[in-house]
Amino acid sequence: MDVRQLRYFATVVDTGSLSKAAVRLSISQPSLSQQIVGMEDDLGVPLLLRSSSGVRPTEPGMALYRHARTILKQFEQMRGDVLRGEHSESGQVAVGLPTSIAAVIAVPLFNRLQIAYPNIQLQLFESMSGYLIELLANGRLDMAVLFRETETRGLTVSPLFNEHLSLCGVPWVGDADSSSVPLSLVSGVPLVLPGKANGLRLLIERTFAREGLELNVVADIDSLPTMLTIAREGQVGSILSGALARQPGAAILGRRLVEPSLQRMVSLCVPNAVPQNAASRAVQNTIQAIVREEALQWDTVMQV
């Protein structure tokens, strides 16, 4: 098995289709299929589940995919270091940002890298945290900003700041002119929140249960723009990052939850299986600098 075959296999998994992967790789579909079959024969296990709707990896195939992504990233980094020099701030760096964090960090990050490191090609992935964790595990990202505070196997976790959560919308709850609202007043208020597997949802559920409050979730919505739109209409609220309500043009009421406050640690997470090059370190330093300078956006900032 060689790097070329690993690239073929990873592309098939990424596209979910042998025909689409063949087009992307500029080879014929029969040749690609033959390469995959050869890998399955070599390893002695099926790597793909084939159906009329496409292909998806088996459990052994998913394990191979994760290793393949790590190897391919190391290979590309090796080529870049040799061609550009190990200490050159150039090349592609992939960063994952949750949507609430991207609203504050993404544009400043792009602008600063354009000025300070014009040879760095930034790739930004904006999504829910769960998908970003999957991309990190699969070797698709060089780093991601995630809501966690503890070390995780395979990741170096560097705390950035504590994010205070706010009640968004529902101006009829408490004092709409106040910058905060007691959590007790949110008991029974209709809310839209992310699905039950989401970390934010779990934090909210645990806090409401601990305080003996009624959590009235009227819809599970794994889309930040949709939750904001619903909360903006005023009749149903949501509990989200306070920074979202403070963005220019947000047009939504956001009040920090207090008594007790709801907050979560935001950290910069970097896979430790692949050595970081100069470009990756430059992006990490830039993210940390933006966080320090935008402290007021989150109220409480950790030392970075």
Side-chain angles (χ1 to χ4, degrees), residues 43-193:
L43 293 170
V45 293
L47 298 174
L48 295 175
L49 295 173
R50 298 161 174 84
S51 68
S52 58
S53 60
V55 297
R56 59 187 178 87
T58 61
E59 187 172 340
M62 198 63 209
L64 176 63
Y65 174 78
R66 293 192 182 99
H67 285 291
R69 275 292 165 205
T70 299
I71 292 169
L72 291 170
K73 184 175 288 293
Q74 288 176 321
F75 184 76
E76 292 301 321
Q77 183 172 314
M78 176 193 69
R79 287 175 57 89
D81 288 347
V82 170
L83 294 174
R84 296 183 296 266
E86 181 183 358
H87 304 292
S88 173
E89 290 92 355
S90 60
Q92 190 176 84
V93 179
V95 180
L97 297 174
T99 303
S100 61
I101 303 300
V104 181
I105 288 181
V107 174
L109 177 61
F110 170 79
N111 289 337
R112 294 193 188 197
L113 292 177
Q114 285 288 296
I115 295 170
Y117 305 103
N119 293 323
I120 291 179
Q121 181 184 358
L122 179 66
Q123 271 193 322
L124 277 181
F125 292 79
E126 179 184 327
S127 185
M128 291 289 201
S129 295
Y131 182 57
L132 296 179
I133 293 171
E134 181 180 330
L135 291 179
L136 270 177
N138 293 340
R140 300 289 302 279
L141 297 177
D142 293 292
M143 67 195 73
V145 176
L146 298 172
F147 303 107
R148 60 179 57 200
E149 56 185 312
T150 57
E151 289 290 332
T152 302
R153 183 180 179 184
L155 290 179
T156 298
V157 178
S158 303
L160 293 173
F161 59 89
N162 273 324
E163 178 184 59
H164 289 277
L165 299 175
S166 293
L167 177 66
C168 294
V170 287
W172 47 273
V173 175
D175 182 0
D177 295 324
S178 175
S179 62
S180 64
V181 58
L183 186 65
S184 60
L185 296 184
V186 189
S187 182
V189 172
L191 300 171
V192 289
L193 295 176

